Amino acid sequence: MKLLNYLAGQWVEGEGLGVSLCDPVSAEPVAFASSEGLDLAAALDFARVRANPALQALTFAQRADLLAQLADVLMVNRDSYYQAALSNSGNTAVDAGIDVDGGIGTLKYFSALGKSLGESCFAVEAGMDRLSKEKTFQSAHVLTPLKGVAIHINAFNFPSWGLWEKASVSLLAGVPVFAKPATTSSLLTYLMIKDVVDADILPPGSLSLICGGGHDLMDHVQSSDLVFFTGSADTAIKLRSNANVIRSNVRFSVEADSLNMSLLGADVLAGTPLFDAFIKEVVKEMTTKAGQKCTAIRRIMVPASQIDAVAEALSARLAKVVVGDPRNEGVRMGPLMNKSQQQAAEEGLTVLLQETELVFGGGKDFSPVAEDPAAGCFMQPTLLRCDEPLQAQRIHDTEVFGPVSTLMAYQSESEAWALAQRGGGSLACSVFTADDVLALRAVEMLAVHHGRVLLVNETVQAGHTGHGIVMPQCVHGGPGRAGGGEELGGMRGLKHYMQRTAIQGDVAVLKQLLDAAAII
């Protein structure tokens, strides 16, 4: 089928046949998408003029109810989304659950959060500040939703979660959404938005969609809009360098490449429960979504004295991972998204092999469980090793977006912190240690380079949510190489869609203002 686009409250067809969306197992087309010839400027104007005031006329509680209704519609159609995640993205049931259920769960979370904000249409920060000798003259800070459109440009690997983790916050804040998923995996996004549109829940223009290319989209953003981008650093640079984006000073948040790390503390020895938990987590992060997660572990830092034991344990566990067509029973890891991604991952692996030795995988004796393995975009989970990582460069600046990770030996604690910094800024890191002093020092040394730090000891080793799982309560984003952006984080996420303004005046008037607003 040919996917339609949803603009200005109408389903519209792009010109031509468009781009082919394929099954990454068989390479057979499953749909086509085009946005050629569409009036994107008019669609943005429609959202600003019609949807923005309609959403902002609602209270937080009313917007929260809309999110709950969206989640209910998606839950009813959940099985069809799992099927789309399989046919267009090659997801296993576990992979699809992270994407589909993760998106629905995020909607539900922000719905509950919005209900707690009550019957206000705007927000304030708690408290006032005295500005003069007279107690009557003080200031407060008000948060009002932006008057434009939130343009959400999403990556191919999470067509559901990427859509709803952004849209749920934007809609709750009162800002309409213009969704631009990656075309190659846009089938799932299309099906979800179609079901939502058919349910007639949101004010017209609150949720727009283009399944094809973005074309001149950046030429039409205005200063009242904002852009949230998830994807490659190169694409982010291109979009942020658009003359109109620069001229309008539009808010532009980026989540880009990330060489996420996991650190094994020197106190954790082979054969202990925490060591086993570390091994399990690394393998899970290497193989879930075929390693195509922005938060997946790319760099594995272990004490030099433990690197042989870690290499042996990881290899043994990776050997049990069955790769192939997820339709076949027993398959635990599916294909990469497409042939382009497969080729890029193989080329990246070649680069890393210049500085590392192969421990496991690399294509040797690799036989995916599929009817036609050559047609699929399969890649064997691959573990590399570098015993002198401080002398290397490419393992710290080359991300292979697939099931590839590098073991790195550190000789001392200070060397571990130095290696962490070499990643240039990442979305997430994890530290496995039973030493509380080391854990607290890790926060001090690692937090500045990461958007999220997961500390795992024996108390939480069986109950934590995972190195790579983004929770809506926590901020998502990272400094430097990771793009410098930030999303989610509970109430914090709403502030990205709002203008903070200092209000100065009579304390009695300001008190009335604070009483009428939700406190964030």
Side-chain angles (χ1 to χ4, degrees):
M1 68 176 176
K2 185 176 180 182
L3 307 185
L4 299 178
N5 307 276
Y6 191 67
L7 302 174
Q10 301 289 329
W11 288 106
V12 291
E13 183 177 345
E15 297 174 355
L17 184 60
V19 176
S20 172
L21 284 65
C22 294
D23 183 331
V25 171
S26 66
E28 292 294 322
V30 296
F32 294 88
S34 170
S35 57
E36 292 284 350
L38 302 181
D39 192 340
L40 302 184
L44 290 170
D45 283 339
F46 183 90
R48 294 187 194 104
V49 174
R50 293 281 299 276
N52 187 287
L55 285 171
Q56 293 179 16
L58 303 174
T59 66
F60 283 111
Q62 289 172 323
R63 295 175 209 152
D65 184 61
L66 296 181
L67 297 186
Q69 293 180 56
L70 296 180
D72 288 343
V73 168
L74 298 177
M75 280 299 297
V76 170
N77 298 286
R78 179 171 171 268
D79 289 348
S80 67
Y81 307 145
Y82 269 65
Q83 182 57 44
L86 170 60
S87 64
N88 186 202
S89 297
N91 282 183
T92 65
V94 171
D95 297 339
I98 295 172
D99 191 18
V100 174
D101 296 340
I104 297 172
T106 301
L107 277 168
K108 291 181 177 181
Y109 169 79
F110 279 101
S111 173
L113 193 70
K115 290 174 183 176
S116 73
L117 295 175
E119 301 299 331
S120 301
C121 297
F122 66 99
V124 294
E125 294 180 342
M128 291 184 282
D129 295 293
R130 184 172 169 179
L131 301 177
S132 70
K133 292 181 180 180
E134 300 298 326
K135 294 182 180 180
T136 56
F137 184 59
Q138 298 195 23
S139 68
H141 286 81
V142 64
L143 296 157
T144 50
L146 299 180
K147 295 300 182 182
V149 182
I151 298 164
H152 294 161
I153 302 172
N154 290 313
F156 68 84
N157 52 339
F158 285 101
S160 165
W161 179 81
L163 167 67
W164 298 117
E165 63 95 6
K166 292 180 174 69
S168 57
V169 188
S170 181
L171 292 172
L172 181 58
V175 181
V177 171
F178 191 104
K180 167 61 188 85
T183 300
T184 188
S185 61
S186 58
L187 175 61
L188 176 53
T189 306
Y190 166 79
L191 292 175
M192 288 183 141
I193 290 183
K194 185 178 185 302
D195 288 338
V196 165
V197 169
D198 289 346
D200 194 23
I201 295 169
L202 298 170
S206 297
L207 184 56
S208 303
L209 168 70
I210 53 170
C211 294
H215 304 295
D216 61 349
L217 182 59
M218 291 297 102
D219 293 338
H220 306 299
V221 299
Q222 298 179 3
S223 58
S224 59
D225 301 328
L226 70 162
V227 179
F228 272 77
F229 171 86
T230 300
S232 73
D234 290 341
T235 303
I237 291 171
K238 179 181 178 181
L239 296 178
R240 274 204 287 204
S241 300
N242 176 279
N244 180 55
V245 168
I246 296 172
R247 186 168 51 248
S248 63
N249 287 317
V250 65
R251 298 186 186 188
F252 204 117
S253 178
V254 171
E255 179 208 319
D257 307 341
S258 183
L259 286 160
N260 311 292
M261 57 162 279
S262 187
L263 175 72
L264 182 68
D267 61 297
V268 184
L269 303 179
T272 62
L274 194 54
F275 181 91
D276 294 341
F278 173 77
I279 298 300
K280 181 179 179 181
E281 189 67 18
V282 170
V283 171
K284 183 177 71 173
E285 286 300 309
M286 288 180 65
T287 58
T288 301
K289 297 281 284 188
Q292 295 200 296
K293 294 204 331 297
C294 56
T295 53
I297 296 171
R298 310 298 182 194
R299 301 188 301 155
I300 311 162
M301 298 177 188
V302 301
S305 61
Q306 291 280 73
I307 193 167
D308 289 336
V310 172
E312 182 180 351
L314 287 175
S315 297
R317 197 170 185 95
L318 287 169
K320 298 177 182 179
V321 177
V322 179
V323 181
D325 184 347
R327 299 170 183 85
N328 293 321
E329 187 176 353
V331 168
R332 287 181 51 198
M333 191 183 100
L336 275 64
M337 184 65 224
N338 53 34
K339 285 294 183 182
S340 175
Q341 287 292 320
Q342 182 188 40
Q343 180 180 347
E346 290 171 349
E347 291 173 352
L349 175 58
T350 300
V351 171
L352 294 183
L353 283 169
Q354 297 172 11
E355 298 177 340
T356 63
E357 62 178 273
L358 184 65
V359 176
F360 179 89
K364 183 180 180 181
D365 301 322
F366 179 45
S367 299
V369 180
E371 185 174 333
D372 185 359
C377 307
F378 302 108
M379 185 176 190
Q380 187 178 23
T382 299
L383 181 66
L384 307 176
R385 173 173 174 166
C386 182
D387 287 289
E388 296 186 358
L390 283 176
Q391 307 305 315
Q393 178 61 40
R394 304 317 304 269
I395 59 174
H396 304 298
D397 67 16
T398 301
E399 180 186 19
V400 177
F401 205 62
V404 178
S405 296
T406 303
L407 267 174
M408 304 180 189
Y410 68 85
Q411 301 291 341
S412 64
E413 187 180 306
S414 60
E415 191 169 298
W417 309 142
L419 287 171
Q421 185 174 353
R422 292 283 297 275
S426 301
L427 297 171
C429 73
S430 53
V431 179
F432 286 70
T433 180
D435 182 346
D436 291 353
V437 174
L438 175 60
L440 295 175
R441 193 155 53 243
V443 172
E444 179 183 353
M445 303 303 296
L446 300 178
V448 70
H449 306 299
H450 298 85
R452 178 166 55 86
V453 178
L454 168 66
L455 303 176
V456 182
N457 61 18
E458 291 188 356
T459 302
V460 302
Q461 68 183 29
H464 67 85
T465 51
H467 170 104
I469 298 297
V470 178
M471 300 299 292
Q473 299 93 329
C474 301
V475 295
H476 177 53
R481 177 190 181 91
E486 184 182 287
E487 301 173 337
L488 298 173
M491 295 286 192
R492 302 170 191 84
L494 294 172
K495 295 184 179 182
H496 299 302
Y497 295 87
M498 295 179 165
Q499 174 62 43
R500 180 193 289 113
T501 305
I503 309 298
Q504 300 169 292
D506 181 350
V507 67
V509 176
L510 296 183
K511 188 178 185 304
Q512 294 179 58
L513 179 70
L514 267 63
D515 289 343
I519 297 178
I520 295 181

